[in-house]
Amino acid sequence: MTRRRLTILGATGSVGTSTLDLVSAESDRFEIDTLTANRDVEGLARLAITHKALHAVVADEACYDALKVALSGHDITVAAGRAALCEAATRPVDMVVAAIVGVAGLAPALAAARTQPMVALANKESLVCAGSLFMRDVGENATVLVPVDSEHSALLQALGGPAIGGAPDLTHVSKLVITASGGPFRTLSAGELARVTPQQALAHPVWSMGSKISIDSASLMNKALELIEAKYLFGIDSARLDVLVHPQSIIHGLVHYRDGSVVAQMANPDMKVPIALALAWPQRMDAQVDPLDLAALGSLTFEQPDRRRFPALGLARQLLEADGGCSAVVNGANELAVDRFLAGAIGFTDIVAICEATLDSMAGGPLGDPQSLDDAMALDAEARRKAGELAARPARSMFAG
Ligand code: NAD
Ligand code: MG
């Protein structure tokens, strides 16, 4: 493989730092162009120096001076602000790793999809908020798009590639299945779910991740977002998409073929596995993960998800059939509700209830598919406004019971 030059958007996060760990272990194969962060100046400066980045960008303009000071004496250019972030995403490199969390990652990921030869996409919210637009731009630019989400990485492998850009051939596929660990609350009753705390929700039994996706995993909203992500990535209809609960998280995705064969991908639950595949695509590299020892595990178990206790999955079914704008609305409402839950302002089960109520209040007329970044961001802003109003009402009287 020729040496690959990378830009990592969201370098200080969970996916970003795992990516940099892999890159530094194979420094003959990779070099860093740009690293970005939101406002973690200290973390960004440290990573930029360690990994010999050429450029460092903070999204928050107020952090510019601090970053400049932190990198003084180093040959690293410094920039700040949302425009600088999008500019960084389009500076010519071999691959952009899109690992910002939330809809904040959409503009730079879209900018990368329109201009770069390869994008490794962790930011699933880009596809949830503007899936048609994103995939259209990927197609027009002939971008090689490699998913970093473990389930979608699994499906890509079980489908036998090629990387997304050209639509995969699904003629003989009867079903694509993504697995869910079930999160920390898989066995709790509906009543117990209403009382869980942010600390309990942040403690995922299997995966170690950033806080937003940890809460999404606990509510199964992460699986809802992933179903929508799969719809756009693979261009598959809702009837052929499904979720299977698999608490050990060893199998990540399964492709059911028409002849009865099922091809599944297995790996220890460590994000370094799908990140390594994306970084080396279409080759492979060492992901520095323990070998999978099935005999030591002994057994793998599976169960149907409980849509009654985890209504995010029912909402996902609705969204898979609806206009793309509905997914953007639910994503915006969810981001706001997760923030409010982490701040202790609403209960855990209020998160999905607020998403449903926001969608109901905005889905009077057809929302359409966002045709531009502005369309998607306008829906996001309106959803946040509406969800903010709902979250401010006394949670118990609004949503409980
Ligand atoms: P994280 O919270 O650990 O890191 C997020 C990164 O984005 C940080 O570098 C942060 O500085 C940056 N950021 C946050 N808000 C920003 C803003 N407004 N503007 C610009 N930059 C901003 O998140 P993570 O867990 O690494 O997840 C990143 C993405 O990858 C998410 O979309 C998530 O759904 C997806 N993903 C994560 C995992 C995982 O295991 N962590 C697995 C699959 C998919
Ligand atoms: Mg996932």
Side-chain angles (χ1 to χ4, degrees), residues 124 148-152 179 207 209 213 222-223 226 229 271:
K124 64 192 81 180
V148 168
D149 220 343
S150 55
E151 298 77 2
H152 306 73
T179 61
W207 295 95
M209 308 177 284
I213 185 174
N222 184 48
K223 239 14 85 174
E226 289 181 353
E229 181 184 12
M271 280 304 292

Side-chain angles (χ1 to χ4, degrees), residues 9-17 36-40 58-60 82 85 98-102 104-105 108 121-125 148-151 207-214 216 222 225-226 229 271:
L9 308 170
T12 54
S14 168
V15 171
T17 50
T36 84
N38 191 20
R39 51 173 79 99
D40 177 6
V58 263
D60 185 346
R82 310 222 60 84
L85 206 60
I100 290 173
V101 63
L121 185 69
N123 179 252
K124 64 192 81 180
E125 294 91 344
V148 168
D149 220 343
S150 55
E151 298 77 2
W207 295 95
S208 147
M209 308 177 284
S211 57
K212 193 258 177 181
I213 185 174
S214 295
D216 286 349
N222 184 48
L225 302 180
E226 289 181 353
E229 181 184 12
M271 280 304 292

Side-chain angles (χ1 to χ4, degrees), residues 1-8 23 26-35 51-55 88-89 91-97 116-120 279:
M1 191 175 101
T2 53
R3 205 170 152 95
R4 236 170 220 178
R5 178 179 288 236
L6 306 176
T7 282
I8 304 175
V23 163
E26 299 211 18
S27 52
D28 53 327
R29 290 177 78 174
F30 301 102
E31 60 194 17
I32 299 295
D33 187 275
T34 305
L35 298 180
H51 298 281
K52 301 189 173 58
L54 303 178
H55 314 279
R91 192 175 295 121
V93 289
D94 298 304
M95 176 183 271
V96 168
V97 180
Q116 301 287 359
M118 295 185 87
V119 172
L279 285 176

